[in-house]
Amino acid sequence: AQRVTQPEKLLSVFKGAPVELKCNYSYSGSPELFWYVQYSRQRLQLLLRHISRESIKGFTADLNKGETSFHLKKPFAQEEDSAMYYCALSPSNAGGTSYGKLTFGQGTILTVHP
Amino acid sequence: DTGVSQNPRHKITKRGQNVTFRCDPISEHNRLYWYRQTLGQGPEFLTYFQNEAQLEKSRLLSDRFSAERPKGSFSTLEIQRTEQGDSAMYLCASSLGQTLKNIQYFGAGTRLSVL
């Protein structure tokens, strides 16, 4: 069975402070990990995926297979980063790319104060 | 708008009634997914299709739930004899289904309230 845990339901920081949203997973195979974001009154959208190794809107996330973690980080938070963030996992094939369903964590509400 | 479209956006029904939701995926996407989200939780997988074939169903999908995707285009999710516990946001997502492009794009959802 696959499981994603986001230990913090709420996270508050001030503008310009570093932010880290935690995500831990359990899965017997080799997963692909994603961060999805939902801004107020908008639909769920992909922020980044580990296989792309990109920095999107200043956010990065590194897959740590030893610790089974995929924490989301940003060195200087902005007010527009305030949103709900979901970590998600998908099974991957031998090439390391995903297929099939997503398993989501419970989400973390990030609030960035001015 | 070329994104995933879901109708209706809101549905209020009485317990015991049947409801049907529709999802129109992004046109070239051959995979279509249904998820359910309750308050304070992340989306939970219900079922998915590749073209018209239903490839996986969650055990959350009781026999009161049925999903179809005729001709591999739009999909419908029907709930029969609704219960108050069915109240939730029902999300649809679609993807290309190719290994490097299996990014799921979500619709705005249908919010169901069962009175």
Side-chain angles (χ1 to χ4, degrees):
Chain A
Q2 49 208 51
R3 175 177 287 186
V4 176
T5 303
Q6 293 178 249
E8 304 136 329
K9 288 194 81 82
L10 301 169
L11 185 61
S12 290
V13 300
F14 285 100
K15 178 182 173 180
V19 63
E20 181 180 49
L21 289 81
K22 291 183 167 40
C23 172
N24 290 89
Y25 68 90
S26 63
Y27 180 61
S28 56
S30 181
E32 183 169 8
L33 276 297
F34 303 82
W35 278 98
Y36 276 80
V37 61
Q38 188 166 27
Y39 300 103
S40 179
R41 302 178 192 278
Q42 295 186 26
R43 62 186 65 189
L44 201 56
Q45 57 186 282
L46 178 69
L47 180 62
L48 54 79
R49 59 197 298 198
H50 91 268
I51 196 169
S52 300
R53 298 184 179 275
E54 294 173 306
S55 173
I56 305 294
K57 300 185 179 183
F59 284 98
T60 59
D62 291 318
L63 180 60
N64 185 324
K65 291 185 178 180
E67 296 184 356
T68 59
S69 69
F70 188 57
H71 303 326
L72 183 68
K73 300 177 184 178
K74 185 169 183 176
F76 307 103
Q78 303 299 314
E79 290 179 69
E80 56 266 30
D81 297 328
S82 296
M84 172 71 91
Y85 291 80
Y86 292 100
C87 182
L89 174 157
S90 177
S92 66
N93 59 21
T97 49
S98 72
Y99 64 92
K101 67 185 182 187
L102 290 169
T103 297
F104 287 86
Q106 290 188 314
T108 298
I109 299 173
L110 173 65
T111 303
V112 181
H113 300 284
Chain B
D1 184 0
T2 56
V4 177
S5 177
Q6 291 189 246
N7 288 287
R9 292 293 307 277
H10 304 274
K11 179 70 177 179
I12 300 173
T13 191
K14 293 183 179 179
R15 190 176 54 180
Q17 298 295 304
N18 298 345
V19 294
T20 300
F21 311 140
R22 176 177 170 128
C23 172
D24 287 272
I26 294 170
S27 59
E28 65 268 27
H29 286 186
N30 59 1
R31 286 199 177 179
L32 187 148
Y33 304 79
W34 285 100
Y35 294 85
R36 181 173 69 184
Q37 186 173 23
T38 53
L39 201 60
Q41 302 295 319
E44 295 175 292
F45 170 78
L46 293 178
T47 187
Y48 89 95
F49 294 83
Q50 178 148 321
N51 300 313
E52 65 273 12
Q54 190 172 16
L55 295 188
E56 186 175 350
K57 292 194 292 186
S58 163
R59 56 186 167 80
L60 290 176
L61 215 65
S62 76
D63 56 5
R64 295 185 298 106
F65 288 69
S66 62
E68 295 182 342
R69 193 183 182 197
K71 301 178 184 178
S73 57
F74 70 92
S75 175
T76 57
L77 178 67
E78 181 183 15
I79 309 174
Q80 296 182 328
R81 305 181 303 281
T82 53
E83 301 173 356
Q84 287 185 326
D86 297 331
S87 296
M89 176 74 87
Y90 290 84
L91 297 170
C92 177
S94 70
S95 74
L96 272 173
Q98 299 171 20
T99 53
L100 289 177
K101 297 182 179 179
N102 193 28
I103 296 171
Q104 294 184 29
Y105 296 85
F106 283 80
T110 295
R111 182 170 297 283
L112 173 66
S113 298
V114 181
L115 305 179

